[in-house]
Amino acid sequence: MSRYRELKFRAVTSFQRRIGNPILTRLPHQTLLETRGRKSGLPRRTPIGGRRIGREFWLVSEYGEKSQYVRNIQADPRVRVRVKGRWYTGTAHLVPQDDARARLRTLPRLNSTAVRVVGTNLLTVRVDLTD
């Protein structure tokens, strides 16, 4: 990774971890992804943007396999997604063969724009919902 991309990654993730995520996770209608911490085993909630399409929920990770929630999915793909205040359980799948930029065009515009601007290694994630 180039020095610029590494600095960008550190700045954005630091902001998200310290300021953005603590605020957004408290908003009642913010879409959240809950994974299980790969080391602690504790639930980890991450504000995300994405869209439910039938029995699937689609999102794009801006940092691919470098994102902590993606690493948690790799360790345990069982997740929960909160959409419009309601929790759904499901199984997450990384979809590297998907065109993440094209996928962003089908997802909510504001989040998709932010992901395109700050992202350095886009990766599509599909959650197969079970309830």
Side-chain angles (χ1 to χ4, degrees):
M1 182 180 285
S2 74
R3 181 162 168 71
Y4 168 75
R5 290 174 76 173
E6 181 61 30
L7 289 173
K8 183 178 176 181
F9 169 78
R10 287 177 187 233
V12 171
T13 56
S14 180
F15 172 81
Q16 288 172 333
R17 190 175 304 119
R18 292 187 174 101
I19 299 169
N21 291 0
I23 293 169
L24 292 173
T25 54
R26 288 181 175 87
L27 299 177
H29 288 287
Q30 170 65 47
T31 302
L32 298 177
L33 175 69
E34 184 180 84
T35 59
R36 187 77 39 197
R38 63 192 176 283
K39 295 178 184 176
S40 69
L42 298 172
R44 301 295 183 200
R45 292 183 176 173
T46 305
I48 57 169
R51 175 167 282 140
R52 181 178 176 188
I53 302 170
R55 303 295 300 156
E56 300 172 335
F57 186 86
W58 292 86
L59 66 128
V60 175
S61 167
E62 63 257 53
Y63 295 113
E65 293 184 11
K66 205 168 178 184
S67 294
Q68 297 302 314
Y69 69 86
V70 171
R71 291 178 178 186
N72 290 342
I73 287 169
Q74 289 173 318
D76 182 355
R78 295 172 297 170
V79 300
R80 293 193 323 148
V81 181
R82 186 177 78 181
V83 181
K84 296 180 182 174
R86 180 167 182 241
W87 285 101
Y88 299 89
T89 60
T91 304
H93 305 276
L94 306 182
V95 191
Q97 66 276 16
D98 190 64
D99 182 345
R101 290 198 177 278
R103 178 69 57 190
L104 284 171
R105 289 192 288 277
T106 70
L107 301 178
R109 185 174 297 167
L110 181 61
N111 180 264
S112 293
T113 300
V115 169
R116 270 193 297 276
V117 169
V118 302
T120 58
N121 189 23
L122 304 181
L123 175 65
T124 301
V125 179
R126 182 188 80 236
V127 178
D128 296 332
L129 304 172
T130 57
D131 66 347

Coordinates of all heavy atoms in Angstrom, one line a residue, residues 18-84:
R18 N -13.2 6.7 16.8 CA -13.3 7.6 17.9 C -14.5 8.5 17.9 O -15.0 8.9 19.0 CB -12.0 8.4 18.0 CG -10.8 7.6 18.4 CD -9.6 8.5 18.7 NE -8.5 7.7 19.1 CZ -7.5 7.3 18.4 NH1 -7.5 7.6 17.1 NH2 -6.5 6.6 18.9
I19 N -15.0 8.9 16.7 CA -16.0 9.9 16.7 C -17.3 9.4 15.9 O -18.4 9.3 16.5 CB -15.5 11.2 16.0 CG1 -14.4 11.8 16.8 CG2 -16.6 12.2 15.8 CD1 -13.6 12.9 16.2
G20 N -17.1 9.0 14.7 CA -18.2 8.6 13.9 C -19.0 7.4 14.4 O -20.2 7.5 14.6
N21 N -18.4 6.3 14.6 CA -19.1 5.1 15.0 C -19.8 5.2 16.3 O -20.9 4.8 16.5 CB -18.1 3.9 15.0 CG -17.7 3.5 13.6 OD1 -18.1 4.1 12.6 ND2 -16.9 2.4 13.5
P22 N -19.1 5.8 17.4 CA -19.9 5.9 18.7 C -21.2 6.7 18.5 O -22.1 6.4 19.2 CB -18.9 6.6 19.6 CG -17.5 6.2 19.0 CD -17.7 6.2 17.5
I23 N -21.2 7.7 17.7 CA -22.4 8.6 17.5 C -23.4 7.8 16.7 O -24.6 7.7 17.0 CB -22.0 9.9 16.8 CG1 -21.2 10.8 17.8 CG2 -23.3 10.6 16.4 CD1 -20.6 12.0 17.1
L24 N -23.0 7.2 15.5 CA -23.9 6.6 14.6 C -24.5 5.3 15.2 O -25.7 5.1 14.9 CB -23.2 6.2 13.3 CG -22.8 7.4 12.4 CD1 -21.9 7.0 11.2 CD2 -24.0 8.2 12.0
T25 N -23.8 4.6 16.0 CA -24.4 3.4 16.6 C -25.6 3.7 17.5 O -26.4 2.8 17.8 CB -23.4 2.5 17.3 OG1 -22.7 3.3 18.3 CG2 -22.4 1.9 16.4
R26 N -25.6 4.9 18.0 CA -26.7 5.3 18.9 C -28.0 5.8 18.2 O -29.0 5.9 18.8 CB -26.2 6.4 19.9 CG -25.2 5.9 20.9 CD -24.8 7.0 21.8 NE -23.9 6.5 22.9 CZ -22.6 6.3 22.8 NH1 -22.0 6.7 21.7 NH2 -21.9 5.9 23.8
L27 N -27.9 6.0 16.9 CA -29.0 6.5 16.2 C -30.0 5.3 15.9 O -29.6 4.3 15.4 CB -28.6 7.1 14.8 CG -27.7 8.3 15.0 CD1 -27.3 8.8 13.6 CD2 -28.4 9.5 15.7
P28 N -31.3 5.5 16.3 CA -32.2 4.3 16.2 C -32.4 3.7 14.8 O -32.7 2.5 14.7 CB -33.5 4.9 16.8 CG -33.4 6.4 16.7 CD -31.9 6.7 16.7
H29 N -32.3 4.5 13.8 CA -32.5 3.9 12.4 C -31.3 3.8 11.6 O -31.3 3.5 10.4 CB -33.6 4.7 11.7 CG -35.0 4.5 12.3 ND1 -35.7 3.3 12.1 CD2 -35.7 5.3 13.1 CE1 -36.8 3.4 12.8 NE2 -36.9 4.6 13.4
Q30 N -30.1 3.9 12.2 CA -28.8 3.7 11.5 C -28.7 2.2 11.2 O -29.0 1.4 12.1 CB -27.7 4.2 12.4 CG -26.3 3.8 11.8 CD -26.0 4.4 10.5 OE1 -26.1 5.6 10.3 NE2 -25.5 3.6 9.6
T31 N -28.3 1.8 10.0 CA -28.1 0.5 9.7 C -26.8 0.0 10.3 O -25.8 0.7 10.3 CB -28.0 0.3 8.1 OG1 -29.2 0.8 7.6 CG2 -27.8 -1.2 7.8
L32 N -26.9 -1.1 11.0 CA -25.7 -1.7 11.8 C -25.4 -3.1 11.3 O -26.3 -3.8 11.0 CB -26.0 -1.7 13.3 CG -26.2 -0.3 14.0 CD1 -26.5 -0.6 15.4 CD2 -25.0 0.6 13.8
L33 N -24.2 -3.4 11.3 CA -23.7 -4.8 11.2 C -23.1 -5.2 12.5 O -22.2 -4.6 13.0 CB -22.6 -4.9 10.0 CG -22.0 -6.2 9.8 CD1 -23.0 -7.2 9.3 CD2 -20.8 -6.1 8.9
E34 N -23.6 -6.4 13.0 CA -23.0 -6.9 14.2 C -22.3 -8.2 13.9 O -22.9 -9.1 13.4 CB -24.1 -7.2 15.2 CG -23.6 -7.7 16.6 CD -24.7 -8.0 17.6 OE1 -25.3 -9.1 17.5 OE2 -25.0 -7.0 18.4
T35 N -21.0 -8.2 14.2 CA -20.2 -9.4 14.0 C -19.7 -9.8 15.4 O -20.0 -9.1 16.4 CB -18.9 -9.1 13.2 OG1 -18.2 -8.0 13.8 CG2 -19.3 -8.6 11.8
R36 N -19.1 -10.9 15.5 CA -18.5 -11.4 16.7 C -17.0 -11.2 16.7 O -16.3 -11.5 15.7 CB -18.8 -12.9 16.8 CG -18.4 -13.6 18.1 CD -19.3 -13.4 19.3 NE -20.7 -13.4 19.0 CZ -21.6 -13.0 19.9 NH1 -21.2 -12.5 21.1 NH2 -22.9 -13.0 19.7
G37 N -16.4 -10.5 17.7 CA -15.0 -10.2 17.7 C -14.2 -11.5 17.6 O -14.4 -12.5 18.3
R38 N -13.3 -11.5 16.7 CA -12.5 -12.7 16.4 C -11.6 -13.1 17.5 O -11.2 -14.3 17.7 CB -11.7 -12.6 15.1 CG -10.7 -11.5 15.0 CD -10.2 -11.2 13.6 NE -9.3 -10.1 13.6 CZ -9.6 -8.9 13.7 NH1 -10.9 -8.5 13.8 NH2 -8.7 -7.9 13.7
K39 N -11.2 -12.2 18.4 CA -10.3 -12.5 19.5 C -11.1 -12.5 20.8 O -11.0 -13.4 21.6 CB -9.2 -11.4 19.6 CG -8.2 -11.5 18.4 CD -7.2 -10.4 18.6 CE -6.3 -10.4 17.3 NZ -5.3 -9.3 17.4
S40 N -12.0 -11.5 21.0 CA -12.7 -11.4 22.2 C -14.0 -12.2 22.3 O -14.4 -12.6 23.4 CB -13.1 -9.9 22.5 OG -14.1 -9.5 21.5
G41 N -14.6 -12.5 21.1 CA -15.8 -13.2 21.1 C -17.0 -12.3 21.4 O -18.2 -12.8 21.5
L42 N -16.8 -11.0 21.7 CA -17.8 -10.1 22.0 C -18.5 -9.6 20.8 O -17.9 -9.5 19.7 CB -17.3 -9.0 22.9 CG -16.6 -9.3 24.2 CD1 -16.0 -8.1 24.8 CD2 -17.7 -9.9 25.1
P43 N -19.8 -9.2 20.9 CA -20.5 -8.6 19.7 C -19.8 -7.2 19.4 O -19.5 -6.4 20.3 CB -21.9 -8.4 20.2 CG -22.0 -8.7 21.6 CD -20.6 -9.3 22.0
R44 N -19.6 -7.0 18.1 CA -19.1 -5.7 17.6 C -20.0 -5.1 16.6 O -20.4 -5.8 15.6 CB -17.7 -6.0 16.9 CG -16.7 -6.6 17.8 CD -16.3 -5.7 19.0 NE -15.3 -6.2 19.8 CZ -15.0 -5.9 21.0 NH1 -15.8 -4.9 21.6 NH2 -14.1 -6.4 21.7
R45 N -20.5 -3.9 16.9 CA -21.4 -3.2 16.0 C -20.8 -2.1 15.2 O -20.1 -1.3 15.8 CB -22.6 -2.7 16.8 CG -23.4 -3.8 17.4 CD -24.6 -3.3 18.2 NE -25.4 -4.4 18.6 CZ -26.5 -4.3 19.4 NH1 -26.8 -3.1 19.9 NH2 -27.1 -5.3 19.8
T46 N -21.0 -2.2 13.9 CA -20.4 -1.2 13.0 C -21.5 -0.5 12.2 O -22.3 -1.2 11.5 CB -19.4 -1.9 12.0 OG1 -18.5 -2.7 12.8 CG2 -18.7 -1.0 11.1
P47 N -21.6 0.8 12.2 CA -22.5 1.5 11.3 C -22.1 1.2 9.8 O -20.9 1.3 9.5 CB -22.4 3.0 11.6 CG -21.6 3.0 12.9 CD -20.8 1.7 13.0
I48 N -23.1 0.9 9.0 CA -22.8 0.6 7.6 C -23.8 1.3 6.7 O -24.9 1.7 7.2 CB -22.7 -0.9 7.3 CG1 -24.0 -1.6 7.7 CG2 -21.5 -1.5 8.0 CD1 -24.2 -3.0 7.2
G49 N -23.6 1.3 5.5 CA -24.6 1.6 4.5 C -24.8 0.4 3.6 O -23.9 -0.4 3.4
G50 N -25.9 0.2 3.1 CA -26.2 -0.9 2.3 C -27.7 -1.0 2.0 O -28.4 -0.1 2.3
R51 N -28.1 -2.1 1.4 CA -29.5 -2.2 1.0 C -29.9 -3.7 1.1 O -29.2 -4.6 0.7 CB -29.7 -1.7 -0.4 CG -31.1 -1.9 -0.9 CD -31.4 -1.1 -2.1 NE -31.7 0.3 -1.7 CZ -31.2 1.3 -2.4 NH1 -30.5 1.2 -3.4 NH2 -31.5 2.5 -1.9
R52 N -31.1 -3.8 1.7 CA -31.8 -5.2 1.7 C -32.5 -5.3 0.3 O -33.2 -4.5 -0.1 CB -32.8 -5.3 2.8 CG -33.4 -6.6 2.9 CD -34.3 -6.8 4.0 NE -35.0 -8.1 3.9 CZ -36.0 -8.5 4.6 NH1 -36.4 -7.7 5.6 NH2 -36.5 -9.6 4.5
I53 N -32.2 -6.5 -0.3 CA -32.8 -6.8 -1.6 C -33.4 -8.3 -1.4 O -32.6 -9.2 -1.4 CB -31.9 -6.7 -2.8 CG1 -31.3 -5.3 -2.9 CG2 -32.6 -7.2 -4.0 CD1 -30.2 -5.2 -3.8
G54 N -34.7 -8.4 -1.1 CA -35.2 -9.7 -0.9 C -34.7 -10.3 0.4 O -34.7 -9.6 1.5
R55 N -34.1 -11.4 0.3 CA -33.6 -12.1 1.5 C -32.0 -11.9 1.6 O -31.4 -12.7 2.3 CB -33.8 -13.7 1.4 CG -35.3 -14.0 1.3 CD -36.1 -13.7 2.5 NE -35.7 -14.4 3.7 CZ -35.9 -14.0 4.9 NH1 -36.6 -12.9 5.1 NH2 -35.4 -14.6 5.9
E56 N -31.5 -10.9 1.0 CA -30.1 -10.6 1.0 C -29.9 -9.1 1.4 O -30.7 -8.3 1.1 CB -29.4 -10.8 -0.4 CG -29.5 -12.2 -0.9 CD -29.0 -12.4 -2.3 OE1 -29.1 -11.4 -3.0 OE2 -28.6 -13.5 -2.6
F57 N -28.8 -8.9 2.1 CA -28.4 -7.5 2.4 C -27.0 -7.3 1.8 O -26.1 -8.1 2.0 CB -28.3 -7.3 3.9 CG -28.0 -5.8 4.2 CD1 -29.0 -4.9 4.3 CD2 -26.7 -5.4 4.4 CE1 -28.8 -3.6 4.6 CE2 -26.4 -4.1 4.7 CZ -27.5 -3.2 4.8
W58 N -26.8 -6.2 1.0 CA -25.6 -6.0 0.3 C -24.9 -4.7 0.8 O -25.6 -3.7 1.1 CB -25.9 -5.8 -1.2 CG -26.3 -7.0 -1.9 CD1 -27.6 -7.5 -2.0 CD2 -25.5 -7.9 -2.6 NE1 -27.6 -8.6 -2.7 CE2 -26.3 -8.9 -3.1 CE3 -24.1 -8.0 -2.9 CZ2 -25.8 -10.0 -3.8 CZ3 -23.6 -9.0 -3.6 CH2 -24.5 -10.0 -4.1
L59 N -23.6 -4.8 1.0 CA -22.8 -3.6 1.4 C -21.5 -3.7 0.7 O -21.1 -4.7 0.2 CB -22.7 -3.5 2.9 CG -21.9 -4.6 3.6 CD1 -20.8 -4.0 4.5 CD2 -22.8 -5.5 4.4
V60 N -20.7 -2.6 0.8 CA -19.4 -2.5 0.2 C -18.4 -2.0 1.3 O -18.7 -0.9 1.9 CB -19.3 -1.7 -1.0 CG1 -17.8 -1.5 -1.5 CG2 -20.1 -2.2 -2.1
S61 N -17.4 -2.8 1.6 CA -16.4 -2.4 2.6 C -15.4 -1.5 1.9 O -14.8 -1.9 0.9 CB -15.7 -3.6 3.2 OG -14.5 -3.2 3.9
E62 N -15.1 -0.3 2.5 CA -14.1 0.6 1.9 C -12.7 0.1 1.9 O -11.9 0.5 1.2 CB -14.3 2.0 2.4 CG -14.0 2.2 3.9 CD -15.2 2.3 4.7 OE1 -16.1 1.4 4.6 OE2 -15.3 3.3 5.5
Y63 N -12.4 -0.7 2.9 CA -11.0 -1.2 3.0 C -10.8 -2.7 2.9 O -9.8 -3.3 3.3 CB -10.4 -0.7 4.4 CG -10.3 0.8 4.5 CD1 -11.1 1.5 5.3 CD2 -9.5 1.5 3.6 CE1 -11.1 2.9 5.4 CE2 -9.4 2.8 3.6 CZ -10.2 3.5 4.5 OH -10.2 4.9 4.5
G64 N -11.8 -3.4 2.3 CA -11.7 -4.8 2.0 C -11.3 -5.6 3.2 O -11.8 -5.4 4.3
E65 N -10.4 -6.5 3.0 CA -10.0 -7.4 4.1 C -9.2 -6.7 5.2 O -8.9 -7.4 6.2 CB -9.2 -8.6 3.5 CG -10.0 -9.5 2.6 CD -9.3 -10.7 2.1 OE1 -8.2 -11.0 2.6 OE2 -9.9 -11.3 1.2
K66 N -8.9 -5.5 5.1 CA -8.3 -4.7 6.1 C -9.3 -4.2 7.2 O -8.9 -3.8 8.3 CB -7.5 -3.5 5.5 CG -6.3 -3.1 6.4 CD -5.4 -2.2 5.6 CE -4.3 -1.7 6.5 NZ -3.4 -0.8 5.9
S67 N -10.5 -4.2 6.8 CA -11.6 -3.7 7.7 C -11.8 -4.7 8.9 O -11.8 -5.9 8.6 CB -12.9 -3.6 7.0 OG -12.9 -2.5 6.0
Q68 N -11.9 -4.2 10.1 CA -12.0 -5.1 11.2 C -13.3 -6.0 11.1 O -13.2 -7.2 11.4 CB -12.0 -4.3 12.5 CG -10.7 -3.5 12.8 CD -9.5 -4.4 12.8 OE1 -9.5 -5.5 13.5 NE2 -8.4 -4.0 12.1
Y69 N -14.4 -5.4 10.6 CA -15.6 -6.2 10.6 C -15.4 -7.3 9.5 O -16.0 -8.4 9.6 CB -16.9 -5.4 10.4 CG -17.0 -4.7 9.1 CD1 -17.6 -5.3 8.0 CD2 -16.7 -3.3 9.0 CE1 -17.8 -4.6 6.8 CE2 -16.8 -2.7 7.8 CZ -17.4 -3.3 6.7 OH -17.6 -2.6 5.5
V70 N -14.7 -7.1 8.4 CA -14.4 -8.1 7.4 C -13.6 -9.2 8.0 O -13.8 -10.4 7.8 CB -13.8 -7.5 6.2 CG1 -13.3 -8.6 5.2 CG2 -14.8 -6.6 5.5
R71 N -12.6 -8.8 8.8 CA -11.8 -9.9 9.5 C -12.6 -10.7 10.4 O -12.4 -11.9 10.6 CB -10.6 -9.2 10.3 CG -9.6 -8.6 9.3 CD -8.5 -7.9 10.2 NE -7.5 -7.4 9.3 CZ -6.3 -6.8 9.7 NH1 -6.1 -6.8 11.0 NH2 -5.5 -6.4 8.9
N72 N -13.5 -10.0 11.1 CA -14.4 -10.8 12.0 C -15.3 -11.7 11.2 O -15.6 -12.9 11.7 CB -15.3 -9.8 12.8 CG -14.5 -9.1 13.9 OD1 -13.4 -9.5 14.2 ND2 -15.0 -8.0 14.4
I73 N -15.8 -11.3 10.1 CA -16.6 -12.2 9.2 C -15.8 -13.4 8.7 O -16.3 -14.5 8.7 CB -17.2 -11.4 8.0 CG1 -18.3 -10.4 8.4 CG2 -17.7 -12.3 6.9 CD1 -18.7 -9.4 7.4
Q74 N -14.5 -13.2 8.4 CA -13.7 -14.3 8.0 C -13.6 -15.3 9.1 O -13.5 -16.5 8.8 CB -12.3 -13.8 7.5 CG -12.4 -13.0 6.2 CD -11.0 -12.3 5.9 OE1 -10.4 -11.8 6.8 NE2 -10.7 -12.4 4.6
A75 N -13.5 -14.9 10.3 CA -13.4 -15.8 11.5 C -14.7 -16.4 11.8 O -14.7 -17.6 12.2 CB -12.9 -15.0 12.7
D76 N -15.8 -15.7 11.6 CA -17.2 -16.3 12.0 C -18.2 -15.5 11.1 O -18.5 -14.3 11.4 CB -17.5 -16.1 13.4 CG -18.8 -16.6 13.8 OD1 -19.6 -17.1 13.0 OD2 -19.1 -16.6 15.0
P77 N -18.7 -16.1 10.1 CA -19.6 -15.4 9.1 C -21.0 -15.2 9.7 O -21.8 -14.5 9.0 CB -19.6 -16.3 7.9 CG -19.3 -17.7 8.4 CD -18.4 -17.5 9.6
R78 N -21.3 -15.7 10.8 CA -22.7 -15.5 11.4 C -22.8 -14.0 11.9 O -21.9 -13.6 12.7 CB -23.0 -16.4 12.6 CG -23.0 -17.9 12.1 CD -23.1 -18.8 13.3 NE -21.9 -18.7 14.0 CZ -21.7 -19.2 15.2 NH1 -22.6 -19.9 15.8 NH2 -20.5 -19.0 15.9
V79 N -23.7 -13.3 11.4 CA -23.9 -11.9 11.7 C -25.3 -11.5 12.0 O -26.2 -12.3 11.8 CB -23.3 -11.0 10.6 CG1 -21.8 -11.2 10.3 CG2 -24.1 -11.1 9.3
R80 N -25.5 -10.3 12.4 CA -26.8 -9.7 12.5 C -26.7 -8.3 11.8 O -25.7 -7.7 11.8 CB -27.3 -9.5 13.9 CG -27.5 -10.8 14.7 CD -28.3 -10.6 16.0 NE -27.9 -9.5 16.8 CZ -28.8 -8.8 17.6 NH1 -30.0 -9.2 17.7 NH2 -28.4 -7.8 18.3
V81 N -27.9 -7.9 11.2 CA -27.9 -6.7 10.5 C -29.2 -5.9 11.0 O -30.3 -6.5 11.1 CB -28.0 -6.8 9.0 CG1 -28.1 -5.5 8.3 CG2 -26.9 -7.6 8.4
R82 N -29.0 -4.7 11.4 CA -30.2 -3.9 11.8 C -30.5 -3.0 10.7 O -29.7 -2.1 10.3 CB -29.9 -3.1 13.1 CG -31.2 -2.4 13.6 CD -30.9 -1.6 14.9 NE -30.2 -0.4 14.5 CZ -29.8 0.5 15.5 NH1 -30.0 0.3 16.7 NH2 -29.2 1.6 15.1
V83 N -31.8 -3.1 10.2 CA -32.3 -2.3 9.1 C -33.6 -1.7 9.5 O -34.5 -2.4 9.9 CB -32.5 -3.2 7.8 CG1 -33.0 -2.3 6.7 CG2 -31.3 -4.0 7.4
K84 N -33.6 -0.3 9.5 CA -34.8 0.4 9.9 C -35.3 0.0 11.3 O -36.5 -0.2 11.5 CB -35.9 0.3 8.8 CG -35.5 0.9 7.5 CD -36.6 0.7 6.5 CE -36.1 1.3 5.2 NZ -37.1 1.1 4.1

